[in-house]
Amino acid sequence: MIRKSTGATTSSTPKTDNTQYGFSDLLNKPIEIYTFIDPLCPECWSLEPYLKKLKLEYGRFFKIKPIISGKLSSLNLAKTKNPKDLAKAWNRTASRTGMSCDGDLWLENPISLPWLPSIAIKAAELQGGKAGASFLRKLQEHLFVNKENISNDEILIQCAKEVNLDLEEFQKDLSGETAKKALQCDLKLTREMEVDEIPAIVLFNQSDEQEGIKVSGLYPYDVYVKVLFEMLGSEPNPAVKPPLKEFLKYYHFVASKEISVVFNWSSEQTQKEMKKLQIKRLVEKMPAKYDTFWRYIGH
């Protein structure tokens, strides 16, 4: 059973619990979070700042498993929907969420094979979960920031190179049956969990038999924390965040929006802090249509 969460405050708030979890608890990570996403979905891209913050603050308690969703009948969206409407929808999402996605892509360089990026992600995952997650993020950057057709073979190979995949294996898996079957499994799981809106997250506590909680749509960060606490049955303190430089060094390429969310800064303070690092030549500024991105170039 999966219980839906509307994002509203629940009546049974867990008690605050700042006791240390045992070492074995942290190794086993009691919570599993399924994130249902589509690589072409701008709202899923807008979930990124919250997932980064959740991992940094409470990642010791959970594992994330990305599930590639999207009904096969709607994966040909680019061919069935007016490109101008798609462009407007993307631009509205960027204005609302602060995560830049340039709708001009649909007018200038539209996605020709909308299902192929999803298969490519599953092909990347065959080289490990971390490889798959890195490849997904790189695809999103090329799509939403660079306005590139990520169903183009050359772009897929470029993304694979940038995250250091085994290119020979990736190309073989991209055209093989295993990645296609893995995508079918994700789509089946999407149906079984009755996920009808993305992004969506479903949380399970692996240590007991309680029902999972599903959160459909995009919500403020506090909602995700509240649901995590409910699954844990306690309210542990967030981990201390790394220094800004270390955060940038780890992620390499981040949006101002992501920095603001993670560090609880206003956009003005984020720009101020990033300017200091830019003067020190530790970061490179990458302007985008609706936001600024920063590439770490220090050592």
Side-chain angles (χ1 to χ4, degrees):
M1 289 290 292
I2 299 174
R3 179 160 55 86
K4 292 183 181 179
S5 172
T6 60
T9 305
T10 56
S11 56
S12 55
T13 306
K15 294 179 180 178
T16 301
D17 179 6
N18 294 326
T19 58
Q20 290 291 316
Y21 274 66
F23 182 59
S24 62
D25 290 327
L26 300 186
L27 277 182
N28 295 325
K29 296 191 176 183
I31 306 299
E32 189 155 35
I33 300 178
Y34 290 75
T35 58
F36 292 83
I37 55 163
D38 182 328
L40 306 183
C41 168
E43 283 81 10
C44 296
W45 172 236
S46 302
L47 185 63
E48 280 284 288
Y50 306 130
L51 290 179
K52 276 187 171 60
K53 188 172 185 178
L54 204 63
K55 286 176 194 171
L56 285 171
E57 293 193 333
Y58 302 105
R60 62 199 188 274
F61 298 113
F62 64 81
K63 293 181 289 187
I64 285 185
K65 183 173 176 58
I67 306 296
I68 306 303
S69 294
K71 296 172 184 172
L72 285 175
S73 59
S74 66
L75 285 177
N76 285 313
L77 188 64
K79 296 178 182 177
T80 59
K81 199 164 183 179
N82 188 319
K84 288 183 180 178
D85 292 339
L86 280 168
K88 286 177 184 175
W90 272 35
N91 291 334
R92 279 196 303 270
T93 299
S95 298
R96 185 179 77 250
T97 66
M99 276 295 277
S100 188
C101 56
D102 194 336
D104 289 347
L105 166 101
W106 294 105
L107 306 174
E108 300 168 6
N109 193 18
I111 307 300
S112 50
L113 300 168
W115 47 268
L116 189 55
S118 294
I119 292 175
I121 293 164
K122 304 316 290 184
E125 283 180 1
L126 293 174
Q127 298 187 33
K130 188 175 180 182
S134 298
F135 181 78
L136 167 61
R137 169 69 187 204
K138 193 57 64 178
L139 271 187
Q140 290 173 315
E141 291 171 6
H142 278 259
L143 174 67
F144 296 116
V145 184
N146 299 351
K147 290 193 296 182
E148 292 175 349
N149 175 5
I150 60 168
S151 64
N152 180 296
D153 280 350
E154 290 181 10
I155 301 300
L156 292 174
I157 296 299
Q158 180 61 33
C159 290
K161 279 181 184 173
E162 289 176 19
V163 297
N164 299 314
L165 293 185
D166 181 316
L167 294 182
E168 188 177 334
E169 283 296 311
F170 175 72
Q171 287 177 284
K172 184 177 74 177
D173 291 330
L174 189 59
S175 57
E177 290 301 311
T178 306
K180 292 175 185 173
K181 287 178 181 175
L183 177 58
Q184 288 294 339
C185 287
D186 278 15
L187 297 175
K188 183 182 177 187
L189 188 61
T190 302
R191 291 192 299 272
E192 288 174 350
M193 292 197 182
E194 298 179 355
V195 172
D196 49 18
E197 180 184 1
I198 52 172
I201 69 168
V202 179
L203 298 89
F204 292 99
N205 191 323
Q206 300 180 87
S207 61
D208 58 40
E209 296 299 318
Q210 69 177 320
E211 61 188 7
I213 300 178
K214 178 169 63 181
V215 183
S216 298
L218 191 64
Y219 286 93
Y221 177 69
D222 290 348
V223 170
Y224 300 109
V225 173
K226 191 175 296 180
V227 173
L228 178 63
F229 285 174
E230 188 172 343
M231 293 304 297
L232 283 170
S234 63
E235 296 185 0
N237 286 328
V240 176
K241 293 189 185 73
L244 175 60
K245 181 184 169 185
E246 293 305 310
F247 171 78
L248 296 166
K249 187 175 182 179
Y250 181 81
Y251 283 108
H252 299 296
F253 186 81
V254 295
S256 291
K257 167 76 176 185
E258 291 178 294
I259 298 167
S260 296
V261 167
V262 166
F263 291 95
N264 299 319
W265 290 342
S266 66
S267 56
E268 291 77 19
Q269 178 157 6
T270 295
Q271 293 301 320
K272 182 180 174 184
E273 296 297 329
M274 294 309 296
K275 198 155 192 176
K276 292 178 190 174
L277 296 182
Q278 189 181 15
I279 290 170
K280 293 178 181 177
R281 298 191 176 180
L282 293 174
V283 295
E284 182 182 8
K285 187 176 183 179
M286 313 286 289
K289 188 172 183 179
Y290 291 95
D291 195 10
T292 301
F293 286 78
W294 303 89
R295 189 186 306 281
Y296 182 77
I297 55 174
H299 300 288

